[in-house]
Amino acid sequence: MVKEYFLKMKGGAQSPPGVAFTEILWSGLGSAAGIGICGYLSFNYFEPRDSTLLIGSFGASAVLAYGAIKSPLAQPRNLIGGHVISGLAGVACYNLFGDTIWMASSLAVSLAIAAMLLTKTLHPPGGATALIAVIGGKKIHDLGFLYAFIPAGLGALILLVIALLINNLSKNRRYPEYWF
């Protein structure tokens, strides 16, 4: 039984094939546009008003929405729902357990994963969105539950719109695979 356990760690499947150069270019263009627009709006409109539209988890979302467009984790339901649900989970855990940051952090990510699985919105960057709600500092904490919608939801929506526009410019790419 112990041997079987360790044998699982060898893996067994083949590594996926490489990606065509044009796919790399489209992925780079999409992520530059999506993150660039969020960053521009954040620095010029949101941050002067003590808010933000750019959070770290959007970098991972860009990888999925522009670089892994066929992944179920990159589809619109997951992109938007994963960030909003995880943001709500993160803020709730900060409000309940914020005096013990390590506990609030672990519970936020754990609750976000459970909620995303339950709602079929699993989006790995959502774990970071939940964690940022706890460790993001005063500016994030001051947003309260608004954090789940601005910046998390609105930023994800911008990434989605750019993904729809850029990913469908190429004749070889199609996004999304499905909406719900």
Side-chain angles (χ1 to χ4, degrees):
M1 182 166 174
V2 173
K3 183 179 177 183
E4 289 177 20
Y5 173 76
F6 285 106
L7 283 175
K8 290 180 180 178
M9 296 180 193
K10 283 179 62 177
Q14 287 193 337
S15 176
V19 176
F21 185 70
T22 54
E23 287 294 310
I24 295 169
L25 290 177
W26 284 113
S27 299
L29 176 64
S31 61
I35 296 295
I37 289 171
C38 285
Y40 177 84
L41 293 172
S42 185
F43 291 113
N44 289 297
Y45 298 104
F46 287 86
E47 294 192 15
R49 294 164 180 83
D50 287 331
S51 188
T52 185
L53 189 61
L54 192 59
I55 55 176
S57 54
F58 289 163
S61 291
V63 172
L64 289 167
Y66 309 113
I69 63 175
K70 294 189 179 300
S71 168
L73 306 173
Q75 301 310 306
R77 176 188 177 108
N78 300 70
L79 177 60
I80 303 293
H83 278 291
V84 171
I85 288 168
S86 296
L88 292 171
V91 172
C93 287
Y94 176 76
N95 288 343
L96 291 171
F97 308 105
D99 291 337
T100 310
I101 291 296
W102 68 266
M103 185 187 316
S105 299
S106 67
L107 292 175
V109 174
S110 179
L111 180 60
I113 292 169
M116 287 188 290
L117 286 171
L118 190 65
T119 58
K120 298 179 9 179
T121 58
L122 189 63
H123 185 67
T129 297
L131 188 58
I132 291 167
V134 176
I135 65 170
K138 183 176 181 342
K139 186 188 281 187
I140 294 295
H141 297 156
D142 288 347
L143 293 173
F145 283 103
L146 180 62
Y147 166 79
F149 303 100
I150 300 172
L154 180 59
L157 180 63
I158 291 170
L159 294 178
L160 173 62
V161 170
I162 299 304
L164 292 169
L165 295 173
I166 300 290
N167 288 335
N168 290 310
L169 286 175
S170 167
K171 67 179 181 182
N172 298 323
R173 292 168 63 104
R174 180 178 153 200
Y175 179 83
E177 292 293 309
Y178 51 87
W179 280 90
F180 300 101

